[in-house]
Amino acid sequence: MVRRAAAAADLGVLDAEIAECFACPRLVEWREEVARVKRAAFRDQVYWGRPIPGFGNADAEIGILGLAPAAHGGNRTGRLFTGDRSGDVLFAALHRAGLANQALSVSIDDGLELRNTRIFPAVRCAPPDNKPTPTERDTCAPWFHRELELIRPTLKVVVALGAFAWGAWWPAMSAVYKVKAPVPRPKFGHGALVSLPGVPDLLGCFHVSQQNTFTGRLTPAMLDDVFARAKSLAGLA
Ligand code: SF4
């Protein structure tokens, strides 16, 4: 799998390779079981039930790093943050920021297009309880690292959605940019910013999970601030 990731010459090849990955037995079983059993509301739909590639521009200045696809969101529709409440919140914010052509994100063929932005998860398969194990995180890392390598020429800032994504950034940064992570590692926080020479800026943002958005821990205004800042750091505003 590491070799397949490293050999992917472009994002199209990488995306296709990712969709064929079966490296984590627990996650393969889970993604397929969810796709088989389904949620009642989606009973008539055919779930994707496979790993999820990144989504967005190959020459993105802004990267958005998430945790993993949602069982009945990305794992159902085949596109990250698509067909669930987290995506509704995220894409509405990206649309307000001018980074998406529409706020609607319901299916892979809904016409959504990103601008200057690519979204990718640290782990490509939906995990039970949204919690990949450390082994699963590390097993999946080569896909993320290769994606990062391929968009490296234009990438200026990475928005880490939540502490898991924040933590996944450091080994990726070392692997791709050959820059050692600071010790101790900078702490995740909403609005936390790490600027190191030679690597994209890292900007922390609470995850767009329902837990955060329903409770008001993360508001649309807070997301607007994050994406305005990301655009500014990326030289887009
Ligand atoms: S989580 Fe990543 S490494 Fe594991 S099966 Fe899915 S795509 Fe493959």
Side-chain angles (χ1 to χ4, degrees):
M1 196 272 267
V2 176
R3 251 178 310 164
R4 280 167 55 211
D10 58 39
L11 285 174
V13 174
L14 183 73
D15 292 351
E17 288 282 1
I18 288 171
E20 295 297 326
C21 184
F22 292 84
C24 305
R26 186 183 81 117
L27 297 189
V28 171
E29 194 182 334
W30 176 250
R31 77 192 190 199
E32 292 180 355
E33 187 191 327
V34 169
R36 200 169 44 246
V37 175
K38 305 181 186 181
R39 180 177 281 169
F42 307 125
R43 195 182 300 118
D44 300 336
Q45 298 185 15
V46 177
Y47 275 50
W48 170 246
R50 304 286 285 271
I52 312 291
F55 169 55
N57 307 110
D59 55 354
E61 290 89 347
I62 299 173
I64 300 177
L65 176 58
L67 194 173
H72 300 280
N75 189 56
R76 174 172 60 89
T77 61
R79 194 176 68 196
L80 280 172
F81 291 111
T82 296
D84 62 22
R85 296 283 173 85
S86 301
D88 293 346
V89 172
L90 177 63
F91 287 112
L94 291 175
H95 184 233
R96 289 195 300 275
L99 298 172
N101 69 331
Q102 63 186 40
L104 188 78
S105 173
V106 291
S107 65
I108 203 158
D109 56 359
D110 58 15
L112 177 64
E113 289 176 13
L114 300 187
R115 299 187 189 115
N116 309 103
T117 303
R118 188 163 174 95
I119 303 180
F120 32 77
V123 172
R124 307 281 164 161
C125 292
D129 300 322
N130 291 320
K131 284 192 183 122
T133 65
T135 301
E136 290 160 351
R137 177 199 60 204
D138 295 346
T139 303
C140 204
W143 294 129
F144 167 38
H145 296 181
R146 184 62 184 146
E147 187 156 8
L148 203 53
E149 263 170 8
L150 289 169
I151 62 169
R152 178 179 175 169
T154 54
L155 190 66
K156 301 275 195 321
V157 55
V158 172
V159 177
L161 295 178
F164 188 95
W166 182 268
W169 169 250
W170 307 112
M173 185 185 79
S174 299
V176 175
Y177 292 87
K178 313 298 178 204
V179 171
K180 278 193 178 166
V183 179
R185 298 230 173 130
K187 227 176 143 217
F188 170 74
H190 183 82
L193 174 66
V194 180
S195 295
L196 298 171
V199 297
D201 290 326
L202 180 68
L203 184 56
C205 177
F206 289 148
H207 194 278
V208 287
S209 66
Q210 289 188 54
Q211 269 166 325
N212 286 336
T213 56
F214 278 21
T215 57
R217 186 168 189 246
L218 179 65
T219 64
M222 288 164 72
L223 275 171
D224 290 348
D225 286 346
V226 164
F227 290 124
R229 207 156 158 219
K231 282 176 70 177
S232 169
L233 290 164
L236 298 171

